[in-house]
Coordinates of all heavy atoms in Angstrom, one line a residue:
Chain N
Q41 N 1.6 1.2 9.0 CA 0.7 0.2 9.5 C 0.9 0.1 11.0 O 1.9 -0.5 11.5 CB 0.9 -1.2 8.9 CG -0.1 -2.3 9.3 CD 0.1 -3.5 8.5 OE1 1.2 -3.9 8.1 NE2 -1.0 -4.1 8.2
Y61 N 0.0 14.6 0.0 CA 0.1 14.2 1.4 C -1.3 13.8 1.9 O -2.4 14.3 1.4 CB 0.5 15.3 2.3 CG 2.0 15.8 2.1 CD1 2.3 17.1 2.5 CD2 2.9 15.0 1.5 CE1 3.6 17.5 2.4 CE2 4.2 15.4 1.4 CZ 4.6 16.7 1.8 OH 5.8 17.1 1.7
Y96 N 6.5 1.7 5.6 CA 6.9 1.1 4.3 C 7.1 2.2 3.3 O 6.3 3.2 3.3 CB 5.9 0.1 3.8 CG 5.5 -1.1 4.6 CD1 4.4 -1.1 5.5 CD2 6.4 -2.2 4.5 CE1 4.1 -2.3 6.2 CE2 6.0 -3.3 5.3 CZ 4.9 -3.4 6.1 OH 4.6 -4.5 6.9
S105 N -4.3 6.0 -17.8 CA -4.5 7.5 -17.6 C -3.3 8.2 -17.0 O -2.9 9.2 -17.5 CB -5.7 7.7 -16.7 OG -6.8 7.2 -17.3
P109 N -3.8 10.6 -8.4 CA -3.5 9.3 -8.1 C -4.2 8.2 -9.0 O -4.1 7.0 -8.8 CB -4.2 9.2 -6.7 CG -5.4 10.1 -6.8 CD -4.9 11.2 -7.6
R110 N -4.9 8.7 -10.0 CA -5.7 7.8 -10.9 C -4.7 6.8 -11.6 O -3.8 7.1 -12.3 CB -6.3 8.7 -12.0 CG -7.2 7.9 -12.9 CD -7.8 8.8 -14.0 NE -8.7 9.8 -13.4 CZ -10.1 9.8 -13.5 NH1 -10.6 8.8 -14.1 NH2 -10.8 10.7 -13.0
G111 N -5.0 5.5 -11.2 CA -4.4 4.4 -11.9 C -3.1 4.0 -11.2 O -2.4 3.0 -11.7
Y112 N -2.6 4.6 -10.2 CA -1.3 4.2 -9.6 C -1.5 3.2 -8.4 O -2.3 3.5 -7.6 CB -0.6 5.5 -9.0 CG 0.1 6.3 -10.1 CD1 -0.6 7.3 -10.8 CD2 1.4 6.0 -10.5 CE1 0.1 8.0 -11.8 CE2 2.1 6.7 -11.4 CZ 1.4 7.7 -12.1 OH 2.0 8.4 -13.1
Y113 N -0.8 2.1 -8.5 CA -0.8 1.1 -7.5 C 0.6 0.8 -7.1 O 1.6 1.1 -7.7 CB -1.5 -0.2 -7.9 CG -0.8 -0.9 -9.1 CD1 0.0 -2.0 -8.8 CD2 -0.9 -0.4 -10.4 CE1 0.6 -2.6 -9.9 CE2 -0.3 -1.1 -11.5 CZ 0.5 -2.2 -11.1 OH 1.2 -2.8 -12.2
M114 N 0.7 0.2 -5.8 CA 2.1 -0.1 -5.2 C 2.6 -1.4 -5.7 O 2.1 -2.5 -5.2 CB 2.0 0.0 -3.7 CG 1.6 1.4 -3.3 SD 0.4 1.5 -1.9 CE 0.0 3.2 -1.9
W117 N 7.5 -2.9 -2.9 CA 7.6 -2.5 -1.5 C 8.9 -2.7 -0.9 O 9.6 -3.7 -1.1 CB 6.5 -3.2 -0.7 CG 5.1 -2.9 -1.1 CD1 4.5 -3.3 -2.2 CD2 4.1 -2.3 -0.3 NE1 3.1 -2.9 -2.2 CE2 2.9 -2.3 -1.0 CE3 4.1 -1.7 1.0 CZ2 1.7 -1.7 -0.6 CZ3 2.9 -1.2 1.5 CH2 1.7 -1.2 0.7
G118 N 9.3 -1.9 0.1 CA 10.4 -2.2 1.0 C 9.9 -3.1 2.0 O 8.7 -3.5 2.1
Chain C
Y32 N -10.8 1.2 -10.9 CA -9.6 1.6 -10.2 C -9.4 1.0 -8.8 O -9.6 1.7 -7.8 CB -9.5 3.2 -10.2 CG -9.4 3.8 -11.5 CD1 -10.5 4.2 -12.3 CD2 -8.1 4.1 -12.0 CE1 -10.3 4.8 -13.6 CE2 -7.9 4.7 -13.3 CZ -9.0 5.0 -14.0 OH -8.8 5.6 -15.2
Y36 N -4.1 -6.5 -2.5 CA -2.8 -6.8 -1.9 C -3.0 -8.0 -0.9 O -4.0 -8.1 -0.3 CB -2.2 -5.7 -1.2 CG -2.0 -4.4 -2.0 CD1 -3.0 -3.5 -2.2 CD2 -0.8 -4.2 -2.6 CE1 -2.8 -2.4 -3.0 CE2 -0.6 -3.1 -3.4 CZ -1.6 -2.2 -3.6 OH -1.4 -1.1 -4.4
Q38 N -1.0 -9.7 2.4 CA 0.1 -9.5 3.4 C 0.2 -10.6 4.4 O -0.8 -11.0 5.0 CB -0.2 -8.2 4.2 CG 1.0 -7.9 5.1 CD 0.7 -6.6 5.9 OE1 -0.4 -6.2 6.3 NE2 1.8 -5.8 6.2
K42 N 5.5 -9.4 7.1 CA 6.0 -9.0 5.7 C 5.3 -7.8 5.1 O 4.2 -7.4 5.6 CB 5.7 -10.2 4.8 CG 6.4 -11.5 5.3 CD 7.9 -11.4 5.2 CE 8.6 -12.7 5.6 NZ 10.1 -12.6 5.5
A43 N 5.9 -7.3 4.1 CA 5.2 -6.1 3.4 C 4.1 -6.7 2.5 O 4.1 -7.8 2.1 CB 6.3 -5.5 2.5
P44 N 3.1 -5.9 2.2 CA 2.1 -6.3 1.3 C 2.7 -6.5 -0.1 O 3.8 -6.0 -0.4 CB 1.1 -5.0 1.3 CG 1.4 -4.4 2.6 CD 2.8 -4.6 2.9
Y49 N -4.4 -5.5 -10.1 CA -4.7 -4.1 -10.3 C -5.7 -4.0 -11.4 O -6.0 -4.9 -12.1 CB -3.4 -3.3 -10.6 CG -2.7 -3.7 -11.8 CD1 -3.0 -3.2 -13.0 CD2 -1.7 -4.8 -11.7 CE1 -2.3 -3.6 -14.1 CE2 -1.0 -5.2 -12.9 CZ -1.3 -4.6 -14.1 OH -0.7 -5.0 -15.2
A50 N -6.2 -2.7 -11.6 CA -7.3 -2.5 -12.5 C -8.5 -3.5 -12.3 O -9.1 -3.9 -13.3 CB -6.8 -2.6 -14.0
Y87 N -6.1 -7.0 1.4 CA -6.6 -5.6 1.4 C -6.9 -5.1 0.0 O -6.2 -5.4 -1.0 CB -5.5 -4.6 1.9 CG -5.1 -4.8 3.4 CD1 -4.0 -5.6 3.7 CD2 -5.7 -4.2 4.4 CE1 -3.6 -5.8 5.0 CE2 -5.4 -4.3 5.7 CZ -4.3 -5.1 6.0 OH -3.9 -5.3 7.3
L91 N -7.8 3.4 -6.4 CA -6.7 4.1 -7.1 C -7.2 5.3 -7.9 O -6.6 5.7 -8.9 CB -6.1 3.0 -8.1 CG -5.8 1.7 -7.6 CD1 -5.3 0.7 -8.8 CD2 -4.8 1.7 -6.5
Y94 N -8.4 11.0 -4.1 CA -7.4 11.6 -3.2 C -8.2 11.9 -1.9 O -9.2 12.6 -1.9 CB -6.8 12.8 -3.8 CG -5.9 13.6 -2.9 CD1 -4.6 13.1 -2.6 CD2 -6.4 14.7 -2.3 CE1 -3.8 13.9 -1.7 CE2 -5.6 15.4 -1.3 CZ -4.3 15.0 -1.1 OH -3.5 15.7 -0.2

Side-chain angles (χ1 to χ4, degrees):
Chain N
Q41 185 170 36
Y61 295 160
Y96 297 100
S105 298
R110 185 182 294 255
Y112 281 90
Y113 64 100
M114 294 141 192
W117 294 67
Chain C
Y32 290 93
Y36 300 87
Q38 186 180 33
K42 301 294 186 183
Y49 60 90
Y87 295 94
L91 311 177
Y94 172 78

